[in-house]
Every structure is written in structure tokens, then in C-alpha cells.
């Protein structure tokens, strides 16, 4: 393992994108697939931001605007039954940048079809570069 890679893997630096909203058609019930609903995504990327900061260089970090667009495309894209599956797909997008060594993704489904009072349903996963 190179010194640079070892440094990155130990880095506690994070870029967090919170409350990203998009409409998707994910769910087990036919009505969820037909009508769709809002999903809210939180993504925290773990990476070494020192090289970007040292040179004030966007190419050495993650462009969070582009990341947000890519995540919305997943939410608005091909439906899945489980938000666990959606979270996995979102994590894969985040890990698409070689700079990111770990990601935590939460998918909120505030309008889940639960016939009881509740605030939110959230699935949170953590994935690391293999």
C-alpha cells in the first residue's frame, strides 16, 4: 500500500450532501410504482481533501453538484422494491470516484405506506472501497 493511499484511508475528511430530494417510483406496492413519491437522500463521502485544499483544485475532490445530479438520476431512474437496494445503488455512484474510500448513504421515505403516525422511514448503509 502506498503512503498516499494509506493516508487517504485514514482520513477523517468528509463531504456531506444532506436532504437531496427527488421523486421516484420505488416500493413493493403497485400504487408506489404507479404514483411515485418523494425520497430524501443523505450521502457522506470519506476522502482526503488536503490535496484539493492545498492547490484550491476542484479536480482533486468530489464535485458535489455533479454528485447531486447523479444521485437524483438514480432515484428518478429504474424502480426497485426496496430502499435498501436504492441505497446500494446510490452508494455505488458515490464510490465511483476513486478519491472516495468510504461512503454512508441514508435513504428517507417520509411518505411510506404505513397506516400509523410516523415521522420517517430511513435506511442507512455504509460501504467501503474493496
Amino acid at each position: 500500500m502506498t503512503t498516499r493511499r494509506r493516508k487517504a484511508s485514514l482520513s477523517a475528511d468528509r463531504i456531506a450532501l444532506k436532504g437531496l430530494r427527488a421523486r421516484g417510483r420505488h416500493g413493493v406496492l403497485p400504487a408506489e410504482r404507479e404514483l411515485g413519491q418523494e425520497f430524501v437522500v443523505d450521502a457522506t463521502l470519506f476522502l482526503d481533501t488536503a490535496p484539493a485544499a492545498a492547490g484550491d483544485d476542484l479536480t482533486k475532490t468530489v464535485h458535489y453538484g455533479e454528485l447531486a445530479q447523479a444521485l437524483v438520476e438514480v432515484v428518478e431512474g429504474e424502480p426497485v422494491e426496496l430502499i435498501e437496494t436504492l441505497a446500494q445503488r446510490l452508494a455505488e455512484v458515490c464510490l465511483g470516484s476513486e478519491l472516495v474510500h468510504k461512503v454512508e448513504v441514508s435513504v428517507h421515505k417520509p411518505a411510506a405506506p404505513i397506516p400509523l403516525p410516523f415521522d420517517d422511514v430511513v435506511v442507512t448503509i455504509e460501504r467501503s472501497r474493496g
Side-chain angles (χ1 to χ4, degrees):
M1 182 180 286
T2 68
T3 303
R4 179 178 157 91
R5 181 172 285 254
R6 189 175 307 129
K7 247 187 190 176
S9 66
L10 299 175
S11 174
D13 299 349
R14 295 180 295 284
I15 294 175
L17 179 60
K18 302 217 180 249
L20 182 65
R21 300 181 187 297
R23 192 162 183 82
R25 297 178 178 273
H26 311 288
V28 175
L29 301 177
E32 293 179 290
R33 296 287 185 115
E34 183 180 325
L35 302 173
Q37 61 190 291
E38 182 180 66
F39 292 85
V40 182
V41 175
D42 301 326
T44 302
L45 287 60
F46 295 80
L47 67 157
D48 184 4
T49 63
D56 199 26
D57 187 349
L58 180 60
T59 66
K60 294 184 179 176
T61 188
V62 173
H63 188 305
Y64 49 79
E66 292 176 358
L67 174 65
Q69 185 59 49
L71 296 176
V72 164
E73 288 173 8
V74 171
V75 174
E76 293 177 344
E78 181 184 347
V80 295
E81 290 188 356
L82 302 178
I83 57 175
E84 291 87 343
T85 306
L86 180 58
Q88 177 64 38
R89 289 182 178 179
L90 295 166
E92 289 168 0
V93 168
C94 295
L95 288 169
S97 169
E98 291 183 12
L99 299 172
V100 177
H101 60 86
K102 183 170 81 171
V103 64
E104 181 180 278
V105 173
S106 295
V107 177
H108 302 256
K109 191 174 180 180
I114 299 173
L116 299 165
F118 73 100
D119 289 330
D120 199 2
V121 172
V122 184
V123 169
T124 300
I125 66 170
E126 185 178 290
R127 298 293 183 265
S128 298
R129 187 166 301 288

